[in-house]
Amino acid sequence: MWRGAAAAALLGLAAAWLLSRGFEPRARLLSAAQLGRYRGAAGQPGLYLALLGRVFDVERGRKHYGPGGAYSGFAGRDATRAFATGDFTPTGLVDDVSGLSPGELLAVQSWLNFYSNNYDAVGKLVGRFYDENGAPTEALRQAEAAIEEALKLKAESEQRKQQFPPCNSEWSSATGTRFWCSRESGGVNRDWAGVPRKLFQPGSKGSHCVCVRTAGPPWGQPGTGQHSDRGDLDNPHLQEYEGCPPLAPQCFLKA
């Protein structure tokens, strides 16, 4: 079960992305050479940029994208990779998105939503992402599939954070490290505080401190009464802190 406004917002983001895949601007196709004429210089026909092969008119953002602007390197080309990496060198201002991390792919998706919501879509760039007929290429299908997978991973991460919010922590030379839970710890507002536990992620050797509910049904199970009423304390990926009472709201680890 999804809980919290953050999870709802994330679902909305994913839905917006899926809808954006139906992108069909006016049937205008531009070659790389044609797009290169839209850098906003004197005598040129306009100011365009492309992202994942989708061409946007960014004239209203001229102070950013026009000649001399901080992002003028994006004008007249598809520099999708740079939107994710921040590499504004000629090597980085390219449309190749292979090898990008899930987080970088989410940056691309976020920028695509931004341009779709704030600028006019005017066509498609013939090349890596669209063929000469304006049909999606295999490269675009792979990029969109990778973005969907990144959205799924983010949603799963957000769900884990709602279930197991991070602990508060502090360190001092006198007492060592203190972990404790509150109703706002980890930036997750909730109606329970929980107790500290180590959470181990499958496939990872490390652990981190999370707050765990101590009452009610386990996460995702309906409150039918057919449960131990121990919240998520019996989750197999959790481990108690040595020397810390099982239901103590805080734990001290010696320095």
Side-chain angles (χ1 to χ4, degrees):
M1 179 183 296
W2 285 92
R3 304 181 183 187
L10 186 57
L11 281 174
L13 184 67
W17 160 247
L18 291 173
L19 287 174
S20 77
R21 292 184 62 182
F23 169 86
E24 284 295 339
R26 294 190 300 274
R28 183 180 181 187
L29 303 178
L30 293 89
S31 68
Q34 289 171 325
L35 181 60
R37 297 178 56 238
Y38 287 80
R39 298 185 187 277
Q44 292 189 333
L47 182 59
Y48 292 175
L49 62 75
L51 184 62
L52 278 184
R54 306 178 186 188
V55 182
F56 296 92
D57 183 338
V58 292
E59 179 62 43
R60 67 172 63 102
R62 171 171 285 273
K63 67 178 180 179
H64 303 297
Y65 304 106
Y71 303 108
S72 59
F74 290 108
R77 67 175 65 173
D78 188 328
T80 298
R81 191 175 192 88
F83 282 96
T85 64
D87 180 359
F88 298 163
T89 67
T91 301
L93 290 167
V94 296
D95 59 0
D96 182 9
V97 296
S98 61
L100 292 182
S101 69
E104 290 170 331
L105 289 167
L106 289 176
V108 170
Q109 183 262 343
S110 178
W111 278 110
L112 188 57
N113 279 347
F114 170 79
Y115 286 107
S116 297
N117 291 331
N118 292 280
Y119 294 98
D120 295 328
V122 295
K124 302 174 183 178
L125 176 63
V126 175
R128 185 181 296 274
F129 300 115
Y130 292 97
D131 66 19
E132 62 275 9
N133 297 313
T137 64
E138 180 60 25
L140 180 59
R141 286 189 285 269
Q142 290 179 359
E144 289 180 335
I147 290 173
E148 285 190 39
E149 182 63 23
L151 280 167
K152 178 182 177 181
L153 291 173
K154 183 177 180 180
E156 290 173 349
S157 177
E158 181 60 32
Q159 185 178 26
R160 283 194 299 271
K161 185 177 179 181
Q162 294 290 321
Q163 180 180 7
F164 296 123
C167 304
N168 298 308
S169 65
E170 65 180 8
W171 179 88
S172 73
S173 57
T175 62
T177 301
R178 178 170 78 102
F179 295 113
W180 77 99
C181 294
S182 68
R183 294 190 176 190
E184 297 85 26
S185 57
V188 178
N189 293 313
R190 53 197 189 274
D191 58 5
W192 53 273
V195 296
R197 289 290 189 274
K198 296 179 186 178
L199 176 65
F200 293 86
Q201 299 290 355
S204 175
K205 295 181 179 179
S207 67
H208 62 280
C209 184
V210 297
C211 297
V212 181
R213 288 185 305 115
T214 60
W219 178 271
Q221 294 188 19
T224 62
Q226 304 299 315
H227 55 77
S228 61
D229 197 35
R230 285 172 47 84
D232 291 309
L233 288 174
D234 298 320
N235 187 288
H237 300 302
L238 298 173
Q239 186 178 102
E240 294 180 10
Y241 280 97
E242 185 176 354
C244 182
L247 296 181
Q250 62 180 352
C251 293
F252 291 89
L253 303 182
K254 297 298 183 182

